[in-house]
Each structure stands twice: as structure tokens, then as C-alpha cells.
Amino acid sequence: MNDTLQSWLKGELQSLRDQNLYKVPRILNSPAGGRVQMDGREVINLSSNNYLGLANDPRVRQAAEEAIERWGVGAGAVRWIGGTMEVHDELERKLAEFKHVDSVLVFTGGFTANSGCIPAVVTKDDVIISDELNHASIIDGVRLSAASYKKSDGWVYAHKDMDALEDCLKRAQGFKKRMIITDGVFSMDGDIAPLPEIVALAEQYDAFVMVDDAHASGVLGKNGAGTASHFGLYGRVDIQLGTLSKALGVIGGYIAGSHELKDWLINRGRPYLFSTAHPPMVAAALIKALEIMQTDPTPMERLWANARRWKAMLNEAGFDTMGSETPITPVYVGDEGAAQRMERMLWDEGVYALAIVYPTVGLGKARIRTMPNATHTEEDLDQALKAFVKVRDQLGAVR
Ligand SMILES: *Cc1c(COP(=O)(O)O)cnc(C)c1O
């Protein structure tokens, strides 16, 4: 062990603890669901992206088991070296149909889809214009690129501020290509990007648009097809990213767009070129999950019924849900310490929901982030609300 490294690690970890930013994941002792066993006790889980309950759906489990029998457990290699298994190909064709696009390329995660796609589609002659609240994986993808993108150079616009975006586009006319990139649904606030306005500006100023629909996949649009579908913008969003890890319940990410985009990423998308494909059971489980999304409206209806009810219950009890328009429901606290105390007190009341504090969100904008999903019962949400009210009354600090 190198002493210099070890003492640096210890110092950095201590500094995280001092700032209350040190994370220790809890241990889940059961499958994902609305009620789970966690750290040895039963809690209502308001902190999962398993929107539709597909992570433990018997039909999806069975598809994965059958695929193990048929294909084994590993893909063996990177796809262009080892060959693409039929199941991977079938998943991409079905996703392309679902998204109303020419082609889809699957990556092993949404994060790698961002870091594979973004740097591949721009060069040093181009500029990337970003919403200030974009997800960390977008930011990392942007940083890997050779394009201009820096906030200090004026290429990051205030959250959903279309005047600021237009100003960026006007200043960007000297670049060869202009790329606008935004979350479709913002992961910490649960609000929706003004995609029709973004697309209109892009068309006016000769820019192309990439939207990261990680939290819109399975949640917004026809059968959960995402924000382009939600706003009726088929054919006008150049690059759509979807995740297969959240509502679809398994793992993976994909880029949806033109045939040429897919061909280019097969040749220049580094996580595709240099990282092994998903196990075939993942692709088979995803084909089944996608089929359920397209043929059984019940999980999405339950998701939205629970999301609307949960927000209404919170608002009626006097909580501020910060303008959320989707199942992602932040409960405003403000003070960082109060939010962290609230998280611990909720846990003691049998509710698992995390405090989100600076620097993940702005200073003084701490919140408890809650995620109702299709698997919660009315009783789960009633019990969770009681816990929120009780804890707020004890803390006295939440508005
Ligand atoms: C979760 C998330 C990702 C990463 O997706 P994974 O499939 O979990 O890697 C990317 N972008 C956004 C906006 C996300 O919320």
C-alpha cells in the first residue's frame, strides 16, 4: 500500500464525513418493490426508480430464466469482435419501433450511453449548449468531448430559460455544429424540459438536439415512449437517450436516432467498441419488459395515479413539492441539516426516502426526494404521509 495514497484517501473521507456528505448504502434484503426489507427491517421504499414494478415482475423474471437456458449467462465479448447475439439485435429493433425512430443502439447503461454518444458526435469545431441542471452523466459525456462547452465561456444556460438558450445560440453561429443537450425529465426536481421551444430554437438557429429521457422512459408519452412522444415531436429530436435501468427494471441505456447515427456510434462510440455486451438474459428480460409496457397499460396507470395522489396528499398537508410534474416528488426542506435529520427520522418511522443536499442541488434548496411507483398501495402512501407529518411537527423546520 502506498502511504501517500492511503493518507490522502483517509483525509478526503474524513472531510466528507465532516461535511455530512459521506454515503453508506443501506443493504436491501428483498427484491425491489414498494415495501422492502432493508437493513433487516420492513420499510416503505420511496427511493427507487423501479417506476412500473418491472424489476421483479414474474413475466420478466421468466424471460430471463429462459434466456439463460437458451444462451448461457455471458455475451463473451464486445459485439463487433464476438458477434452480436440475436437477442441484442431483436431488442434494438423493437426499441426503434417503440421510439418511432430508424435505429437504436444499446449501451450497458444510461451513463455509458451518454459518455459514448456525446463525445462521438462533436469535434473541436463544435459547441455544446447545456441546461444547468443536466444529469452528472451528461456532464461527464460533455467533458469527454473536444467541443466548447464550459459554463465560464457562457455555454450553460439557466434552468429551462429559453431566452438564455437563444442568447447562447446567437453567440454560437461561428461554430461548425451546435448541439443542445437537456434532461427530458430533471432527476432532482421532477420537472419537464420545454422541448417544443428547444426544438423550435434549434431549427431556427441550425442546432441539433439531444434529450436524455432516463426519467421519462416508461413514464411520459405513449406507453412511456418519452418526452418526444409526450410533446408530439416525432422526427424532430435528433438524438434521444433512454434508460433500461429505471422503469424498464433491468439495466442498460440506448441511443435512438437515424441509421447514420447508429452506424457512427458502432464505429466511434467507445463504450460500445471497448466494453462487453450485456448478458443475453438482460436483453431477453428487456424485450419482455418492453412488450408489457406496450400491451398492458395498468402499471403506467397505477404509477400516475399514485404520483398524483401522493403529490395531492403532500400539498394538502402543507408540503411544497417544488413544481414537480412527474412521479419524482421533491419535498422542500431548505436547510441541509434539517433535511438530513428528517431523512433519519423518516427511517425511524419506517419510510426510506433520501435527503438531497448541496452540492447535488443548490445551497439552501435541500429536499427529501420521494418516488412513488406502481407497486405502492394506498395504505403505503397513507402511512408514509403520516410519517412525514409527524416528523415535520417534531422538527418544526419544514414549510
Ligand atoms: C439515471 C440517469 C442516467 C443513468 O442511467 P443508468 O441506466 O442508470 O446508467 C442518465 N441520465 C439521467 C438523466 C439519469 O437520471
Side-chain angles (χ1 to χ4, degrees):
M1 293 290 178
N2 175 262
D3 285 342
T4 312
L5 171 66
Q6 284 304 113
S7 68
W8 178 81
L9 287 170
K10 282 177 187 156
E12 291 297 311
L13 286 166
Q14 190 54 47
S15 139
L16 289 181
R17 283 191 204 94
D18 294 344
Q19 299 170 72
N20 268 324
L21 295 174
Y22 179 75
K23 292 185 179 63
V24 187
R26 294 190 185 274
I27 299 294
L28 198 51
N29 318 105
S30 69
R35 261 178 209 263
V36 294
Q37 298 290 324
M38 196 179 256
D39 282 353
R41 46 183 294 224
E42 186 180 290
V43 291
I44 297 166
N45 185 5
L46 286 175
S47 200
S48 168
N49 298 321
N50 177 28
Y51 286 110
L52 302 174
L54 294 173
N56 191 33
D57 185 286
R59 297 164 289 184
V60 179
R61 290 173 62 133
Q62 194 191 337
E65 279 164 26
E66 286 168 7
I68 292 176
E69 289 301 316
R70 166 81 171 82
W71 296 101
V73 293
V78 169
R79 284 166 64 182
W80 68 275
I81 295 176
T84 284
M85 284 175 160
E86 279 166 39
V87 271
H88 290 121
D89 204 42
E90 183 186 341
L91 173 62
E92 288 176 341
R93 276 188 279 109
K94 289 188 166 160
L95 280 169
E97 229 170 85
F98 172 61
K99 296 289 285 185
H100 292 263
V101 296
D102 290 344
S103 279
V104 159
L105 186 68
V106 170
F107 290 80
T108 47
F111 200 109
T112 38
N114 267 325
S115 51
C117 178
I118 300 167
V121 295
V122 289
T123 72
K124 65 174 178 30
D125 302 323
D126 303 331
V127 62
I128 305 175
I129 302 171
S130 312
D131 187 290
E132 65 177 343
L133 292 191
N134 279 350
H135 188 259
S137 62
I138 298 180
I139 295 171
D140 281 19
V142 167
R143 284 179 182 155
L144 283 171
S145 81
S148 295
Y149 59 78
K150 286 195 174 135
K151 188 172 185 172
S152 55
D153 293 333
W155 302 124
V156 176
Y157 58 94
H159 182 47
K160 296 198 299 188
D161 183 336
M162 293 298 99
D163 292 335
L165 171 59
E166 184 165 14
D167 179 58
C168 291
L169 287 164
K170 281 180 180 159
R171 282 186 283 109
Q173 291 305 302
F175 289 92
K176 194 157 184 198
K177 299 203 298 300
R178 288 149 291 281
M179 175 181 194
I180 304 171
I181 187 159
T182 181
D183 278 31
V185 170
F186 289 88
S187 54
M188 292 301 148
D189 292 61
D191 54 346
I192 304 173
L195 206 55
E197 289 82 0
I198 292 173
V199 165
L201 283 171
E203 288 168 353
Q204 186 182 344
Y205 290 96
D206 183 23
F208 66 97
V209 176
M210 175 166 172
V211 60
D212 177 345
D213 263 347
H215 280 286
S217 307
V219 176
L220 283 182
K222 184 166 187 286
N223 300 326
T227 46
S229 163
H230 174 74
F231 286 116
L233 294 169
Y234 288 127
R236 292 174 66 193
V237 179
D238 302 276
I239 306 177
Q240 299 177 64
L241 179 145
T243 186
L244 305 166
S245 324
K246 288 172 177 152
L248 276 103
V250 192
I251 185 79
Y254 61 88
I255 298 291
S258 67
H259 290 305
E260 291 76 13
L261 177 66
K262 175 173 178 168
D263 271 358
W264 183 245
L265 294 178
I266 286 175
N267 286 280
R268 284 291 182 273
R270 293 173 69 83
Y272 176 89
L273 287 167
F274 300 110
S275 184
T276 301
H278 279 149
M281 63 191 166
V282 166
L286 285 165
I287 290 167
K288 180 56 76 178
L290 187 62
E291 180 192 313
I292 294 169
M293 269 171 53
Q294 291 178 278
T295 54
D296 179 1
T298 324
M300 207 168 137
E301 282 164 13
R302 289 196 51 128
L303 166 69
W304 277 96
N306 280 340
R308 293 203 175 94
R309 183 161 175 272
W310 176 239
K311 250 190 272 286
M313 287 161 72
L314 284 165
N315 293 335
E316 202 166 305
F319 291 100
D320 173 1
T321 50
M322 302 181 78
S324 154
E325 305 168 83
T326 64
I328 300 171
T329 310
V331 180
Y332 177 81
V333 181
D335 179 70
E336 284 69 29
Q340 282 164 335
R341 277 198 300 285
M342 192 158 173
E343 175 191 314
R344 285 193 294 275
M345 290 160 78
L346 284 167
W347 171 260
D348 291 337
E349 298 296 323
V351 173
Y352 179 61
L354 291 184
I356 308 287
V357 301
Y358 181 82
T360 305
V361 294
L363 199 61
K365 289 188 181 165
R367 78 271 322 252
I368 303 288
R369 179 168 175 268
T370 66
M371 312 275 289
N373 67 46
T375 69
H376 288 115
T377 62
E378 291 205 351
E379 194 197 340
D380 292 337
L381 297 183
D382 289 344
Q383 192 181 323
L385 184 74
K386 269 192 202 138
F388 267 84
V389 170
K390 180 174 174 186
V391 165
R392 175 194 46 199
D393 292 348
Q394 284 170 0
L395 267 173
V398 188
R399 81 161 186 235

